[in-house]
């Protein structure tokens, strides 16, 4: 059976009226066992009815920080922070991904740096836009162990240097965020950094160029 085209996928979604991408994928998978989740997400990224619906259902924070459409290339890296408890969970750092074109920042809190945790963070960050086509990062085992999984989503994970280094924008963003976090934590005499991080990402993404 020939692979489904983007037009066919969008038509099917419109006909069945699914609101949940997971339900839609499971339904299609029964009839089209060779359907790739990454291809489905990319098709839905171009379905403006779906994207409008998705944005309305998202919390206010995600509406501001997540833009519709597929990020072709992102730089990603991990940041280590002092352990702290926030909303009942102990966090040790965060994942940062930066779209190389728009410079939009995506940041996800991490309870550990195991590959499975990093994987879940990626899925959460790019649930609304589809996984990037290419992810530039360092040779951290947290990323390398996910290479096959990324490949199954048609995403290329590369540790080769781009024109600005392996993960230049992610590394730059981490430095900016950490500097601002440390200043605010000192001024407020607090060690609870997660809410400060999320607020900073929101603030930076509301600028024309988040990294300037």
């Amino acid at each position: 059976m020939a692979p489904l085209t983007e037009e066919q996928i969008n038509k099917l979604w419109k006909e069945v009226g699914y609101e949940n991408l997971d339900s839609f994928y499971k339904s299609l998978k029964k009839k089209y066992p060779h359907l790739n989740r990454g291809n489905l997400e990319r098709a839905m990224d171009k379905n403006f009815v779906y994207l409008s619906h998705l944005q309305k259902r998202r919390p206010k924070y995600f509406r501001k920080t997540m833009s519709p459409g597929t990020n072709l290339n992102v730089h990603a890296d991990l940041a280590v922070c002092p352990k702290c408890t926030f909303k009942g969970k102990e966090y040790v750092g965060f994942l940062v991904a930066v779209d190389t074109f728009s410079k939009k920042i995506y940041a996800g809190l991490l309870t550990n740096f195991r590959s499975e945790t990093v994987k879940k963070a990626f899925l959460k960050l790019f649930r609304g836009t589809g996984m990037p086509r290419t992810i530039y990062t360092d040779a951290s085992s947290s990323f390398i162990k996910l290479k096959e999984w990324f490949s199954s989503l048609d995403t290329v994970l590369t540790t080769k240097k781009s024109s600005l280094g392996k993960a230049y924008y992610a590394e730059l963003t981490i430095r900016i965020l950490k500097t601002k976090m440390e200043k605010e934590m000192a001024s407020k005499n607090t060690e609870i950094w997660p809410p400060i991080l999320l607020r900073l990402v929101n603030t930076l993404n509301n600028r024309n160029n988040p990294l300037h």
Side-chain angles (χ1 to χ4, degrees), residues 93-151:
F94 56 94
L95 164 68
V96 161
V98 182
D99 176 22
T100 59
F101 178 72
S102 68
K103 307 303 183 294
K104 180 168 283 291
I105 302 167
Y106 298 87
L109 301 174
L110 299 173
T111 54
N112 59 66
F113 294 103
R114 290 194 289 269
S115 296
E116 191 62 28
T117 304
V118 174
K119 172 182 174 180
K120 290 178 180 178
F122 265 109
L123 285 172
K124 185 175 181 180
L125 291 181
F126 294 101
R127 186 184 302 154
T129 61
M131 294 298 284
R133 299 290 172 86
T134 305
I135 297 174
Y136 294 92
T137 187
D138 58 21
S140 164
S141 61
S142 299
F143 291 115
I144 298 302
K145 290 178 180 178
L146 295 175
K147 196 163 188 175
E148 288 187 11
W149 175 72
F150 279 121
S151 181

Side-chain angles (χ1 to χ4, degrees), residues 12-174:
L12 285 168
W13 184 82
K14 184 178 180 180
E15 288 176 351
V16 299
Y18 278 98
E19 296 183 350
N20 186 292
L21 187 59
D22 288 333
S23 299
F24 184 42
Y25 173 69
K26 290 175 183 177
S27 175
L28 287 181
K29 192 72 173 175
K30 294 176 182 177
K31 190 173 182 180
Y32 306 95
H34 298 297
L35 179 67
N36 181 283
R37 174 66 183 247
N39 291 340
L40 174 64
E41 291 180 346
R42 290 192 179 91
M44 298 307 288
D45 290 342
K46 299 176 182 179
N47 184 320
F48 291 104
V49 176
Y50 168 75
L51 287 173
S52 298
H53 168 80
L54 181 71
Q55 294 296 321
K56 288 177 183 177
R57 289 174 61 90
R58 285 192 175 283
K60 185 177 180 181
Y61 170 75
F62 284 103
R63 278 186 233 156
K64 287 186 176 180
T65 59
M66 297 182 73
S67 60
T70 302
N71 299 279
L72 294 180
N73 302 295
V74 302
H75 287 190
D77 204 358
L78 302 175
V80 179
C81 294
K83 290 182 180 180
C84 78
T85 301
F86 175 62
K87 291 187 176 181
K89 290 186 178 181
E90 185 178 71
Y91 293 103
V92 298
F94 56 94
L95 164 68
V96 161
V98 182
D99 176 22
T100 59
F101 178 72
S102 68
K103 307 303 183 294
K104 180 168 283 291
I105 302 167
Y106 298 87
L109 301 174
L110 299 173
T111 54
N112 59 66
F113 294 103
R114 290 194 289 269
S115 296
E116 191 62 28
T117 304
V118 174
K119 172 182 174 180
K120 290 178 180 178
F122 265 109
L123 285 172
K124 185 175 181 180
L125 291 181
F126 294 101
R127 186 184 302 154
T129 61
M131 294 298 284
R133 299 290 172 86
T134 305
I135 297 174
Y136 294 92
T137 187
D138 58 21
S140 164
S141 61
S142 299
F143 291 115
I144 298 302
K145 290 178 180 178
L146 295 175
K147 196 163 188 175
E148 288 187 11
W149 175 72
F150 279 121
S151 181
S152 72
L153 299 178
D154 295 333
T155 294
V156 176
L157 178 70
T158 178
T159 56
K160 295 180 181 179
K161 287 188 176 182
S162 65
S163 59
L164 290 172
K166 291 180 181 177
Y168 171 79
Y169 290 125
E171 292 167 357
L172 173 62
T173 300
I174 288 173

